[in-house]
Amino acid sequence: MGSKYVVALSSSPRRKGNSRILAEAVLEGAAEAGHRTELVHLADHVTGLLRNCRECRKPDGTCSIGDGFDDVFFNKMLKADGLVVATPIWWYGMSAHLKNFFDRMFCYFAASYPQSAEVVHAQIYRKHLAIVLSAEENNLSARLGALTSLLELSRYLHWTMTGVVTGIGNTTGEASNDPLNPLAEARALGRRMFDVVETDYKGDTPRSPRVWADDNRSLPTSWR
Ligand SMILES: Cc1cc2nc3c(=O)[nH]c(=O)nc-3n(C[C@H](O)[C@H](O)[C@H](O)COP(=O)(O)O)c2cc1C
């Protein structure tokens, strides 16, 4: 399959936070599978909120906010084959930092950026996506808002969804005590991130009656 480039967007401001340790575990797994990995601590790079792009762009169409967004977006996110999106649940949604990163993409995704087609649209589609979440509450409904947003974004951008791992914890790093061992799950997800087949079957989709292929490489998306 060859070595891929996997980038984690870690969106909690907590440097040793629960979502970040899960993101690091996915990257460890990806590295074990031979892939090149990099973690971006978003709070260090993306500090300005999206403004009105029509009034805010520089004459050449680039973003005038002037923080580290452009470097993360053009040199890391767009170049990645695999994305690990890591967020704590904040008020039943994704973190403000992650939402703002996606909001800020609009400046360059929009047709009003002169190179949106050649540079952005040429690279933004068909990535493999792993999602890691951390939350205090373990009810599924507490994380559905974040998941729904991220899955719709994934669908919109033709990304291949590979799996979700949730770590339950509240204090810094406490998800490592979660008895379901989400860190091991996250590492396993990283190892198989490019082997996963997203089974969005329709009634008439040709397929084997078996879920688990004999060569054990046809892995459906995993949800924890
Ligand atoms: C602003 C804020 C809002 C939060 N809202 C929720 C929530 O709605 N549901 C929940 O289960 N936990 C909530 N939490 C708790 C965090 O999701 C939890 O502590 C998580 O493990 C933090 O992950 P981190 O260490 O990666 O930052 C909230 C925490 C903060 C700071």
Side-chain angles (χ1 to χ4, degrees):
M1 167 203 313
S3 177
K4 309 272 191 189
Y5 177 42
V6 182
V7 170
L9 300 176
S10 181
S11 73
S12 169
R14 295 209 282 195
R15 228 166 267 286
K16 295 183 193 304
N18 294 313
S19 52
R20 171 148 171 181
I21 60 176
L22 290 167
E24 287 170 346
V26 178
L27 293 186
E28 282 165 24
E32 284 168 23
H35 305 305
R36 186 164 63 93
T37 66
E38 183 164 359
L39 183 136
V40 178
H41 191 79
L42 279 183
D44 289 344
H45 303 274
V46 185
T47 52
L49 288 173
L50 180 76
R51 303 191 291 228
N52 179 352
C53 296
R54 282 176 202 275
E55 295 170 359
C56 180
R57 283 178 196 289
K58 293 186 200 164
D60 66 357
T62 59
C63 175
S64 67
I65 295 177
D67 57 10
F69 175 81
D70 287 11
D71 178 45
V72 176
F73 182 60
F74 286 104
N75 300 325
K76 302 178 197 304
M77 191 270 192
L78 282 184
K79 299 281 179 271
D81 305 293
L83 283 177
V84 183
V85 167
T87 182
I89 296 300
W90 279 3
W91 298 120
Y92 308 106
M94 70 182 84
S95 72
H97 300 67
L98 183 59
K99 179 66 166 53
N100 184 47
F101 179 84
F102 292 133
D103 290 344
R104 292 278 301 275
M105 294 196 315
F106 178 79
C107 174
Y108 293 114
F109 190 84
S112 40
Y113 173 58
Q115 291 171 286
S116 69
E118 303 93 296
V119 177
V120 179
H121 289 251
Q123 298 181 92
I124 204 165
Y125 301 111
R126 295 183 179 78
K127 299 180 186 301
H128 282 230
L129 172 69
I131 298 173
V132 293
L133 306 173
S134 56
E136 177 184 9
E137 298 167 86
N138 72 2
N139 52 316
L140 182 61
S141 55
R143 48 189 190 267
L144 279 184
L147 266 179
T148 301
S149 294
L150 293 171
L151 293 178
E152 282 303 292
L153 181 65
S154 175
R155 180 195 57 76
Y156 183 71
L157 295 175
H158 294 292
W159 292 348
T160 297
M161 176 62 194
T162 65
V164 181
V165 175
T166 304
I168 299 300
N170 203 19
T171 60
T172 305
E174 193 191 2
S176 58
N177 298 332
D178 181 333
L180 290 184
N181 202 352
L183 288 172
E185 256 323 295
R187 209 169 292 117
L189 177 58
R191 276 197 298 270
R192 65 172 182 259
M193 188 160 185
F194 295 98
D195 298 331
V196 169
V197 175
E198 195 175 10
T199 52
D200 183 14
Y201 296 145
K202 305 294 177 291
D204 54 359
T205 304
R207 60 188 187 268
S208 161
R210 290 177 193 278
V211 171
W212 305 101
D214 292 339
D215 63 5
N216 205 25
R217 288 182 60 81
S218 170
L219 301 168
T221 312
S222 119
W223 298 78
R224 291 292 304 269

